[in-house]
Amino acid sequence: MIPSREPDSVGPAALRRLVEAMPKAELHLHLDGSLRVETALSLARSRGVDAPATYGGMFQALVAPARTASQADLLTRFDLPIALLQDVEALERVTSELIESKAADNVKYLEVRWGPALHVRRGLSLGEGIAAVCGAAQDAAARTGTIVRLICTAIRSHDPAAVVKLAETATRFRDQGLTGWDLAGPEAAVPDPLAFERAFAAARDGGLRITLHAGEWGGAAQVRRALALDPERIAHGPGAADDPGLMAELKERGVTLDLCPTSNVQAGIVLSLAAHPLTRLHRAGVPVSLSTDDATVSDMLLSEEYVRAVEQNGLSLPELWAIDRHALDAAFAEPNLIRPLRQSFERWAAAVPELGEPDRGRPA
Ligand SMILES: [Zn+2]
């Protein structure tokens, strides 16, 4: 049960306007789940990839229904985007467009993650693919003013030795904005992230900051397993809310859960947005951030996820604002980049009384 709070004083239209204007930070976003439908149509045509030829058909292929059977089912939505992203130009275009869409939604700090090893089917090397995304991200960041950092995602179903190579390659791009290391993919099929311990060590030794996906299957036990790799953040992990000891440990160690409620409903791991433990975890003092996971698979921008968190999950506006600012604290970016950003967030909030006193809404 979510404890009752006094309702926020703004109506639905005002809430949406406020959230759209709010400077936002998003930490959990996959490049390959975020292709624009028009772009996917154009890439399929120009690359000769077998795919739906109409907007409606492509929309159906890329956007997951409100609910699928499981994470494994949700993951099938990535097969076509990955087939379309096998050359430098396609990776550059999709990276640029995603950052532009996010900047238009007032996302001022963004971390984009992708699995470079999925994009080598047509002869690209790992290094060429990573360089393409890094270069396009830097250009789009300069154009839009949104600060962008990148996370290299390893895939659980891949050979652990190959994943070590990926980590070593990724560390060469640290000065090009690639600052994080992640593990994602079919969790039920490959539940133990410790199989990739050597790759995590290589990433860490190379200066990358550590996160990994956990709890899209298997609940709190999977979040515990992830903690064995000593991450700064965990992607998802809503099941932690079922385990008070684990919540205490996350709080104590300061491990942030990068939550994506809509995506979790689509993957069938929570019943509804109202039932998602986002608000409960935040009120219990567990560090959380709020993201969309995928712009296209979930067909939404971050403002929409924020609005839903207030309207359907019971988060107050000051709490939403505290979570938004916390994403800057947990960001895989250099402190000298974050400091001015935090100041600009605070300046904006100072003129918005609905967000409450500066420290209201922070976890106790
Ligand atoms: Zn994810």
Side-chain angles (χ1 to χ4, degrees):
M1 279 295 287
I2 295 163
S4 62
R5 286 242 163 163
E6 51 188 277
D8 289 296
S9 52
V10 300
L15 170 66
R16 189 164 295 274
R17 274 198 306 276
L18 192 156
V19 164
E20 284 172 357
M22 180 184 285
K24 291 175 285 295
E26 183 166 21
L27 304 183
H28 183 173
L29 178 68
H30 295 263
L31 181 66
D32 48 358
S34 301
L35 274 73
R36 293 180 186 171
V37 175
E38 301 87 341
T39 301
L41 285 168
S42 138
L43 290 174
R45 259 195 319 270
S46 54
R47 270 72 178 168
V49 173
D50 184 27
T54 64
Y55 186 96
M58 187 61 91
F59 185 93
Q60 289 281 329
L62 299 179
V63 178
R67 198 174 169 84
T68 61
S70 65
Q71 186 214 13
D73 189 358
L74 188 67
L75 285 175
T76 62
R77 299 283 149 175
F78 293 85
D79 295 345
L80 177 55
I82 288 165
L84 297 173
L85 297 175
Q86 297 296 331
D87 60 85
V88 164
E89 194 190 86
L91 285 166
E92 286 176 343
R93 175 172 173 184
V94 168
T95 303
S96 300
E97 289 177 351
L98 176 57
I99 293 165
E100 283 162 9
S101 298
K102 292 291 175 174
D105 189 38
N106 271 323
V107 175
K108 301 295 188 190
Y109 177 80
L110 179 64
E111 291 181 6
V112 178
R113 62 186 76 198
W114 88 112
L118 298 170
H119 304 275
V120 296
R121 286 183 203 159
R122 289 204 201 165
L124 264 191
S125 70
L126 283 177
E128 286 166 340
I130 295 174
V133 173
C134 288
Q138 284 178 325
D139 289 351
R143 228 174 21 248
T144 59
T146 289
I147 294 175
V148 181
R149 287 292 173 265
L150 300 166
I151 297 174
C152 178
T153 296
I155 309 300
R156 302 178 95 104
S157 51
H158 289 182
D159 169 34
V163 174
V164 174
K165 274 214 179 64
L166 173 65
E168 288 166 354
T169 307
T171 59
R172 301 206 314 259
F173 292 86
R174 254 183 66 205
D175 62 353
Q176 292 174 53
L178 199 168
T179 53
W181 174 258
D182 174 35
L183 179 70
E187 200 170 351
V190 188
D192 192 358
L194 279 174
F196 302 94
E197 201 171 8
R198 276 181 53 222
F200 275 81
R204 200 187 301 271
D205 290 349
L208 299 182
R209 297 173 67 178
I210 304 297
T211 183
L212 70 159
H213 281 64
E216 280 181 287
W217 169 88
Q222 283 299 103
V223 179
R224 278 203 182 280
R225 270 184 152 152
L227 282 179
L229 287 156
D230 198 20
E232 289 183 57
R233 303 187 337 226
I234 287 174
H236 299 300
D242 300 330
D243 181 339
L246 178 58
M247 285 205 289
E249 188 173 348
L250 291 166
K251 191 175 163 181
E252 163 83 22
R253 289 167 67 165
V255 176
T256 294
L257 300 180
D258 295 324
L259 298 170
C260 307
T262 298
S263 172
N264 290 164
V265 175
Q266 288 180 293
I269 60 169
V270 292
L271 281 173
S272 65
L273 285 173
H276 195 281
L278 158 70
T279 299
R280 201 149 47 90
L281 286 162
H282 174 69
R283 288 182 187 164
V286 176
V288 299
S289 76
L290 190 49
S291 298
T292 58
D293 214 7
D294 303 286
T296 306
V297 175
S298 297
D299 189 29
M300 71 190 315
L301 288 170
L302 187 56
S303 287
E304 177 63 28
E305 189 86 68
Y306 276 23
V307 165
R308 291 181 189 184
V310 172
E311 288 185 337
Q312 299 185 50
N313 200 251
L315 213 55
S316 73
L317 276 169
E319 287 170 333
L320 177 70
W321 178 237
I323 289 172
D324 189 50
R325 279 175 308 165
H326 174 69
L328 294 180
D329 299 335
F332 288 168
E334 308 82 321
N336 64 345
L337 277 176
I338 294 298
R339 217 172 294 118
L341 205 52
R342 185 180 290 110
Q343 287 164 356
S344 76
F345 276 43
E346 296 294 354
R347 267 198 305 278
W348 178 82
V352 184
E354 292 88 344
L355 300 180
E357 294 304 310
D359 278 325
R360 200 184 140 202
R362 273 197 196 280

